[in-house]
Amino acid sequence: MIPFLDLGAATAELRTEIDAAISRVVASGRYLLGEETEAFESEFAAFAGQAHGVSVGSGYDAIEFALRAAGVAPGDEVIVPSHTFVATWLAVRAVGAVPVPVEPVTPWLGIAAAEVASAVTPRTTAVVPVHMHGHVADVRGIREVADRHGLVVIEDAAQAHGATADGQPIGRWAHATTYSFYPAKNLGALGDGGAVLTDDAALAHRIRSLRNYGSPEKYRHDVFGRNSRLDELQAAVLRVKLTRLADWNGRRQGIAALYARRLAELQDRGWARLPADNARTESSWHLYSILVDGRDTVAADLRRRGVQTGIHYPVPVHLTPAFADLGMARGSLPVAERIADTTLSLPIGPQLSVADAERVARTLVEVSES
Ligand SMILES: *Cc1c(COP(=O)(O)O)cnc(C)c1O
C-alpha cells in the first residue's frame, strides 16, 4: 500500500539531527520560552522575510491571537473562504466575531479580491484569506480592498510554508501571517505548534503577551491571555526541519509536476480536474487534490489497488454542526459543497519516491478507464 503521507519516513530521514536536538533540550534544563524557541522564531521569520516571529501552541491559536491583537472584537464580521479547514472559522468565532464566507473561484485560487469587496459591510473589520493546499491566494489584491475599507488582513498560511508570489515569500501583503506546525504540515513538529509572522512590532508584542497569560513581563497581566506556548523540544525539532523546508517543498513540486504530466489526459477527457498554479505564484504543494465525480468510488478503487488517498475535506465548514446556528443550509455555498463532494487528495510528500508517484498516476489512469 502506498500511504497517503508517511510521517515516520520524514522523521527517519532526519533522525540523527532530531535526536541530537532533543538531547540538547533535555540536558539544558530549560523547557519553555528559552533559547530554542527564540532561535526558531527568528530563523522562521528570516526564512519568510518577516521582521517578527511569535510561536504559539497551534495554528488555530495563531489565527485567534492575530485577530485579537489586531483589534477584531465581538460582533465584528470577518470575511473567510467558504472552502477551508474548520479552524479558520473557529478562530473567528473564538474572538466573538461572525465568519462571513466568500466562495473561491476554483479550489486552487482562493478567494478573489472582487468577491471580498462585495462581502464588505459596515461591520466588517478583517479578512482571512487562506492559501488552500499551498496555492497562493491573491492577498495583494485583497489588501487593496482592505485598505479602502480599513480592514485588517490576517493570512492563514497553515498549508503554505515556503510558498511564493512573484518569486518572494508570501506574507508581504498581510498585516500578519499565521502558520501551523501540526505534524502533517509542510513544516511539521512532533506534536502541536503554530506561529504568527508580521512586520508590525506592536502586533507581535501583543501576541507574545496573549500566548503567555496576557503577560508582557513576569507578574504583569495586562490583557486576558492564555497559555499557548510552543515548547523548547518542538522548537528544537522545527529548527532542524526548517533547514530542509525549501528542499522538501522542491520534492513536492517535482511530484506535482509528474502528476500534471501523467494525469493531463484525465483532464482532457473531462474525467477529472487537476490543480494548477498561476504564472506568478509557486505553491507549497501541501496537497495535490483533484476534483472527480464519484469520488468515494474512485477512492475505494484506488485503495483496492494499493493507493491510499485523503479527502480535504468531506464536509464544508458551513454544514458542520459547529456552525449550524449560522443557518446556512445545503445549497447556500455551492462551490464549497461541490469541492467537498468531489475533492480527492493523492499522496504527495517529500518522502514519496518517484517510482511510487508514477504508480499512483498509473493506477489512477487505470481506475479512470475501468
Ligand atoms: C491545519 C490548519 C489550521 C489549524 O492548525 P492547527 O495547528 O491544527 O491548529 C488552520 N487553518 C488551516 C487552513 C489548516 O490547514
Coordinates of all heavy atoms in Angstrom, one line a residue, residues 82-83 103-104 313 316-318 333-341:
S82 N -15.1 30.1 1.9 CA -16.1 29.0 2.2 C -15.4 27.7 2.2 O -15.8 26.8 2.9 CB -17.2 29.0 1.2 OG -16.7 28.8 -0.1
H83 N -14.3 27.6 1.4 CA -13.6 26.3 1.3 C -12.3 26.5 2.1 O -11.3 27.1 1.7 CB -13.2 26.0 -0.1 CG -12.3 24.8 -0.3 ND1 -12.5 23.6 0.2 CD2 -11.1 24.7 -1.0 CE1 -11.5 22.8 -0.1 NE2 -10.6 23.5 -0.8
E103 N -17.1 32.6 -1.6 CA -16.7 31.4 -2.4 C -15.5 31.6 -3.2 O -15.3 32.7 -3.8 CB -17.9 31.1 -3.3 CG -19.2 30.7 -2.6 CD -19.4 29.2 -2.6 OE1 -18.6 28.5 -1.9 OE2 -20.4 28.8 -3.2
P104 N -14.6 30.6 -3.3 CA -13.4 30.8 -4.2 C -13.9 30.6 -5.6 O -14.9 30.0 -5.8 CB -12.5 29.6 -3.7 CG -13.5 28.6 -3.2 CD -14.6 29.3 -2.6
Y313 N -11.9 18.8 2.4 CA -12.5 18.0 3.5 C -13.9 17.5 3.0 O -14.5 18.2 2.2 CB -12.6 18.8 4.7 CG -11.2 19.4 5.1 CD1 -10.8 20.7 4.6 CD2 -10.2 18.7 5.8 CE1 -9.5 21.2 4.8 CE2 -9.0 19.2 6.1 CZ -8.6 20.4 5.6 OH -7.4 20.9 5.8
P316 N -18.2 20.6 4.1 CA -17.8 22.0 4.1 C -18.1 22.7 5.4 O -19.1 22.2 6.1 CB -18.6 22.7 2.9 CG -19.7 21.7 2.7 CD -19.3 20.3 3.2
V317 N -17.4 23.7 5.8 CA -17.5 24.2 7.2 C -18.9 24.6 7.5 O -19.4 24.3 8.6 CB -16.5 25.4 7.4 CG1 -16.5 25.9 8.8 CG2 -15.1 25.0 7.0
H318 N -19.6 25.3 6.6 CA -20.9 25.8 6.9 C -21.9 24.7 7.2 O -23.0 24.9 7.8 CB -21.4 26.7 5.8 CG -21.7 26.1 4.5 ND1 -20.8 25.6 3.7 CD2 -22.9 25.7 3.9 CE1 -21.3 25.1 2.6 NE2 -22.6 25.1 2.7
L333 N -23.8 27.6 -0.2 CA -22.4 27.8 -0.7 C -22.0 26.7 -1.7 O -21.3 25.8 -1.4 CB -21.4 27.9 0.4 CG -21.6 29.1 1.4 CD1 -20.8 28.9 2.7 CD2 -21.3 30.4 0.7
P334 N -22.6 26.8 -2.9 CA -22.5 25.7 -3.9 C -21.0 25.3 -4.3 O -20.7 24.1 -4.5 CB -23.3 26.1 -5.1 CG -23.5 27.6 -4.9 CD -23.4 27.9 -3.4
V335 N -20.1 26.3 -4.3 CA -18.7 25.9 -4.7 C -18.1 25.1 -3.7 O -17.5 24.0 -3.9 CB -17.9 27.2 -5.0 CG1 -16.5 26.8 -5.4 CG2 -18.5 28.1 -6.1
A336 N -18.2 25.5 -2.4 CA -17.6 24.8 -1.3 C -18.2 23.4 -1.2 O -17.5 22.4 -1.0 CB -17.8 25.5 0.0
E337 N -19.5 23.3 -1.5 CA -20.2 22.0 -1.4 C -19.7 21.1 -2.5 O -19.5 19.9 -2.3 CB -21.7 22.2 -1.5 CG -22.3 22.8 -0.2 CD -23.7 23.4 -0.3 OE1 -24.4 23.0 -1.2 OE2 -24.0 24.3 0.5
R338 N -19.6 21.6 -3.7 CA -19.1 20.8 -4.8 C -17.7 20.3 -4.6 O -17.3 19.2 -4.9 CB -19.2 21.6 -6.1 CG -18.6 21.1 -7.3 CD -19.6 20.9 -8.5 NE -18.9 20.2 -9.6 CZ -18.9 18.9 -9.8 NH1 -19.6 18.1 -9.0 NH2 -18.2 18.4 -10.8
I339 N -16.8 21.2 -4.0 CA -15.5 20.8 -3.7 C -15.5 19.6 -2.7 O -14.8 18.6 -2.9 CB -14.6 22.0 -3.2 CG1 -14.4 23.0 -4.3 CG2 -13.3 21.5 -2.7 CD1 -13.8 24.4 -3.8
A340 N -16.3 19.8 -1.6 CA -16.4 18.8 -0.6 C -16.8 17.4 -1.2 O -16.3 16.4 -0.8 CB -17.3 19.2 0.5
D341 N -17.7 17.5 -2.2 CA -18.3 16.2 -2.7 C -17.3 15.6 -3.7 O -17.4 14.4 -4.0 CB -19.6 16.5 -3.5 CG -20.7 16.9 -2.5 OD1 -20.6 16.6 -1.3 OD2 -21.7 17.5 -3.0

